[in-house]
Amino acid sequence: MDEQFQTAESLGAQKYPRNSSRILQYGTAGFREKSSELPHVMFRMGLLAVLRSKVKNGSTVGLMITASHNPEEDNGVKLCDPDSKMLEKDWETLATKLINTNNESLKEVLKSILDSNKINFDLPANVYLAKDTRSSSEFLLQAAIDGVTSLNGEFKNFGLLTTPQLHFVVYCKNFGTYGTPTAEGYYEKLSNAFETLRSNSIESKTKYTANMYVDGANGIGALKFKELQNYIKSLNVEIFNDGTTGKLNFNCGADFVKVEQKAPEGSEILVNERYASFDGDADRLVYFYKDGSSSFHLLDGDKIATLVAKFLKDLVDLVSLKLEIRVVQTAYANGSSTQYIENKLKIPVVCVPTGVKHLHHEAMKYDIGIYFEANGHGTVVFSKEAKQNIKALVSSENVSQEQKMAAKKFLSVIDLINETVGDAISDLLLVEVILHDFDWSVEDWDKMYTDLPNRQLKVKVPDRNAIETTDAERRCVKPEGLQKAIESVVSSYNNARSFIRPSGTEDVVRVYAEAETQEQADKLAHSVKELVEKFT
C-alpha cells in the first residue's frame, strides 16, 4: 500500500504536478475550470475513484469528464457513486482536500483518507470512465486513467458518452436487472420502451406530428442521438448544431435558450414547428417554438415537469393504486407551474435547494418522485414497492382488463425513463410519448399554464462563499443586510419575487426575478444585481 501511494505521488509530481496555489472546490457539478488547470485534478480524481470503489466493497464507480453547458475552453470532472447518485458530501470534502494538496504531501493525504474511512486496500477497485467532445477531454481522460492504474485499479474506458449514459452503465453494472451496461444496452432499453408505447396508441392523431428538430449544442448529445436514431422508427428528428461546424455551447444549447430566452443560432426556426435543445453533456432539455406572429415560446423544465406529472397522475388513476406522488422543485421554478401542479393536478410540491443531489434525494422518498429544475435537468424515480405493485397488476386475476393494460403501459414508461439522473435524450422520448398520447401540439402543451415573466442574471463576485442562503436558497443570510435590501426592492412590485444564490462551480452569484410583466422582471433583476455588487 505504502509503495503504491509512493508511486502515485511520484507519478503525479512528475507528470501531473499541481503548479498553482489556487484553491479549487468540488461543487454541485464536481470540479470545473479552464482545461489547462485540470491535469493534476484528473489524475487525483482517478486516485480518489479507486479509494471510493474500495470503500464500496469493489463496486464500480463512474468518472465523467465534462463541463456540461460551460464554454468549450472549460472542462471538468465528477464522480458517480455505485448507485448512480452524486458523490456523498463527506467525499466532496475529501476530493477538495486531495486536489489542493501539495505535490509532496499526496501520499500522506491518500493514507489519511484510507485510515479515516477504514478502507481495506486489499479489496478490488473498478472505475468506468467517459468523456464529452471537448478537445481537451482526451488528454484529461488519460490523466484520470493514470490515476486509476497507479493504484492498481481496474478500469473500462467508454470514450465518448453523455453524462446520463455513464450513470446508466454504472448503475447497470452494479444492479444487473436495470439493463445492459453498454451504450447499445442504453439504446435498446429506451427504444424498445418508446416504440412499444407509440404502437399501443393506435388512434389517429390530428394535432401531434412525428417531425421535430433538435439543437445538439454542438456536443456529445448530437452524436449519441444520431446513434439512437438507428433504433427508432416512429419519430423523425432533424438535428442541427451537431458539432460538424459549430462551437460547443456557443450561442446554442439548453442553457443559452433558457437564459437568453431566444432560439439558438444554427438553423432557421420555422413557425409552429417543435424544437428541443440539449446542453453540452445532454443532461438538460428544453423545448421551444415560434408562433404565427414570430413570438418565441420557451417550454423549460417546469413545463416538462407539469406535463409529466399530469401524464403519470392519469396513469395512477387508471391502475387504481394508492401511490404517493410528489413534484420536487427548486426556487427557480416558475410560480405559475407550482400553482398549476398543486391546484389543478392536486399533487403536492416540495421545494429543495438547487442541485441534482438535493432533488434526487427528496424524490426518492415517494412512490413517484418527479423533479425537473427550471433549466431542464430532471427525471422521475419510482420506489421498489411501486414497481412491484404495478407489475403485480399485469398478472392479477382480480383487476379489470383496462387496469392490466394501464399497468403494462406504466411499466413501459418506467423503462423509458432513465431513473439514474436527468437525461435529455430519455426525457425527450418521454415528452414525445406524452404529446403523442394526448394528441397535443407544442402549442397545446404550452397552454397548460402561462409562465410569469422572469429574468436570470449572473454577477461576477470576488468570492462566492461570501454569499450564504437558507430556506431552500430563497433567503440570503450573508452578507448581513442584503436580504432586507432585496425585500425592499421586491416590495415595490406587485406579485413579484427575487432571490440570489452562489454558483457551485465559479465565483458567480445568480439572480432570479419574477414579476407580472417582462419589463418589471428585467428591472427587478437588474436592481438586485446592483445590490449584490454593492454588498460584495
Side-chain angles (χ1 to χ4, degrees):
M1 176 192 69
D2 283 343
E3 183 178 344
Q4 286 179 298
F5 283 172
Q6 184 61 54
T7 299
E9 183 177 87
S10 299
L11 179 60
Q14 293 169 14
K15 195 173 180 180
Y16 307 109
R18 178 177 179 244
N19 292 323
S20 172
S21 60
R22 186 169 172 223
I23 300 298
L24 303 181
Q25 186 174 338
Y26 195 104
T28 54
F31 292 106
R32 282 191 195 165
E33 274 297 333
K34 300 300 179 188
S35 58
S36 59
E37 299 279 336
L38 293 174
H40 83 282
V41 173
M42 298 298 174
F43 176 77
R44 296 179 185 198
M45 287 295 279
L47 302 176
L48 192 69
V50 169
L51 297 182
R52 186 62 179 165
S53 177
K54 289 180 184 292
V55 84
K56 291 295 185 177
N57 297 314
S59 294
T60 299
V61 302
L63 188 155
M64 184 70 202
I65 296 174
T66 183
S68 188
H69 57 278
N70 283 37
E72 162 75 27
E73 56 270 20
D74 292 352
N75 217 319
V77 59
K78 53 187 172 183
L79 293 188
C80 166
D81 258 350
D83 59 3
S84 82
K85 298 186 185 66
M86 300 300 180
L87 199 58
E88 291 177 3
K89 185 68 176 178
D90 288 348
W91 278 70
E92 289 183 5
T93 303
L94 293 178
T96 299
K97 180 179 180 180
L98 184 64
I99 270 33
N100 295 299
T101 296
N102 293 332
N103 298 316
E104 61 274 13
S105 302
L106 189 57
K107 174 184 173 182
E108 179 185 335
V109 173
L110 288 171
K111 192 174 186 307
S112 72
I113 294 173
L114 191 82
D115 293 341
S116 63
N117 289 276
K118 297 180 173 60
I119 299 171
N120 180 357
F121 195 74
D122 293 331
L123 287 172
N126 296 278
V127 183
Y128 278 1
L129 304 99
K131 62 176 182 174
D132 68 13
T133 55
R134 295 165 200 270
S135 57
S136 60
S137 290
E138 182 62 33
F139 172 73
L140 295 176
L141 175 65
Q142 186 57 54
I145 290 173
D146 285 348
V148 173
T149 56
S150 70
L151 292 184
N152 289 343
E154 297 292 327
F155 75 92
K156 183 171 183 179
N157 177 12
F158 281 85
L160 291 168
L161 285 183
T162 69
T163 296
Q165 284 179 318
L166 179 70
H167 282 259
F168 176 88
V169 296
V170 167
Y171 192 79
C172 290
K173 175 64 176 177
N174 294 310
F175 303 90
T177 57
Y178 191 71
T180 305
T182 62
E184 292 75 20
Y186 171 89
Y187 298 138
E188 288 169 358
K189 181 177 183 180
L190 266 60
S191 62
N192 288 340
F194 180 78
E195 293 296 346
T196 297
L197 288 163
R198 298 277 281 215
S199 63
N200 285 346
S201 183
I202 59 176
E203 302 88 356
S204 60
K205 305 300 175 183
T206 59
K207 293 184 177 181
Y208 177 84
T209 63
N211 301 314
M212 67 173 302
Y213 303 83
V214 171
D215 159 30
N218 291 314
I220 185 67
L223 179 65
K224 295 303 175 179
F225 198 85
K226 285 182 179 180
E227 293 178 2
L228 176 67
Q229 285 180 302
N230 296 322
Y231 296 77
I232 287 180
K233 307 302 179 187
S234 62
L235 183 66
N236 304 316
V237 180
E238 183 176 316
I239 302 174
F240 63 104
N241 292 329
D242 62 358
T244 54
T245 57
K247 188 176 181 181
L248 177 67
N249 293 326
F250 183 70
N251 290 339
C252 62
D255 190 61
F256 173 85
V257 173
K258 170 62 178 174
V259 174
E260 299 298 328
Q261 298 188 30
K262 64 181 181 181
E265 296 179 4
S267 177
E268 179 185 356
I269 308 302
L270 304 174
V271 171
N272 291 330
E273 293 290 345
R274 198 165 67 255
Y275 289 81
S277 280
F278 298 160
D279 68 333
D281 66 341
D283 64 1
R284 294 185 185 185
L285 172 74
V286 298
Y287 274 72
F288 60 93
Y289 70 99
K290 183 170 67 173
D291 66 21
S293 62
S294 293
S295 295
F296 173 78
H297 295 259
L298 172 68
L299 295 93
D300 61 8
D302 296 335
K303 288 280 188 178
I304 296 172
T306 53
L307 181 72
V308 172
K310 173 176 169 52
F311 179 70
L312 292 179
K313 178 74 164 16
D314 290 350
L315 271 179
V316 169
D317 291 342
L318 285 173
V319 298
S320 299
L321 288 175
K322 291 184 178 179
L323 299 176
E324 189 176 23
I325 310 177
R326 291 291 185 276
V327 175
V328 186
Q329 295 184 328
T330 71
Y332 284 107
N334 193 277
S336 289
S337 72
T338 307
Q339 293 171 20
Y340 181 90
I341 294 165
E342 291 187 328
N343 300 333
K344 183 75 174 179
L345 300 181
K346 305 300 181 183
I347 299 174
V349 173
V350 183
C351 187
V352 299
T354 304
V356 177
K357 60 185 177 183
H358 302 297
L359 290 150
H360 199 92
H361 178 75
E362 181 66 28
M364 290 183 67
K365 296 178 181 179
Y366 311 102
D367 291 316
I368 303 175
I370 304 162
Y371 74 84
F372 280 86
E373 292 183 289
N375 62 28
H377 190 297
T379 189
V380 185
V381 293
F382 302 87
S383 71
K384 182 179 179 181
E385 292 75 16
K387 293 177 184 177
Q388 290 173 340
N389 291 337
I390 295 167
K391 190 174 182 179
L393 289 179
V394 176
S395 55
S396 175
E397 297 180 357
N398 301 318
V399 299
S400 67
Q401 191 63 28
E402 183 182 30
Q403 281 177 279
K404 287 187 177 184
M405 293 299 294
K408 288 180 180 179
K409 180 178 180 180
F410 216 142
L411 293 177
S412 291
V413 170
I414 293 172
D415 276 344
L416 181 61
I417 294 168
N418 184 352
E419 293 183 71
T420 68
V421 74
D423 182 343
I425 292 176
S426 169
D427 291 341
L428 181 143
L429 296 180
L430 177 61
V431 167
E432 292 304 313
V433 160
I434 297 171
L435 294 179
H436 179 263
D437 194 74
F438 289 170
D439 190 20
W440 278 5
S441 67
V442 68
E443 298 97 323
D444 293 326
W445 174 18
D446 196 23
K447 290 175 183 175
M448 289 180 75
Y449 65 87
T450 301
D451 276 325
L452 285 168
N454 59 87
R455 177 63 65 196
Q456 293 187 47
L457 298 174
K458 294 180 181 180
V459 189
K460 288 278 188 180
V461 294
D463 179 12
R464 67 180 183 273
N465 295 310
I467 302 289
E468 292 185 17
T469 62
T470 188
D471 188 23
E473 301 179 319
R474 290 175 288 191
R475 291 182 56 82
C476 175
V477 294
K478 287 186 179 179
E480 186 177 349
L482 179 53
Q483 180 61 35
K484 285 188 176 180
I486 293 172
E487 291 173 357
S488 177
V489 172
V490 170
S491 67
S492 61
Y493 298 88
N494 293 324
N495 299 319
R497 68 184 181 100
S498 182
F499 67 90
I500 63 171
R501 59 171 289 269
S503 167
T505 57
E506 54 186 327
D507 285 326
V508 163
V509 172
R510 304 186 188 279
V511 174
Y512 180 87
E514 206 174 81
E516 290 183 335
T517 68
Q518 191 60 57
E519 182 182 7
Q520 290 177 351
D522 291 344
K523 286 183 177 179
L524 177 56
H526 282 284
S527 295
V528 174
K529 177 184 177 182
E530 290 174 355
L531 288 174
V532 172
E533 292 170 339
K534 176 183 176 181
F535 277 81
T536 57

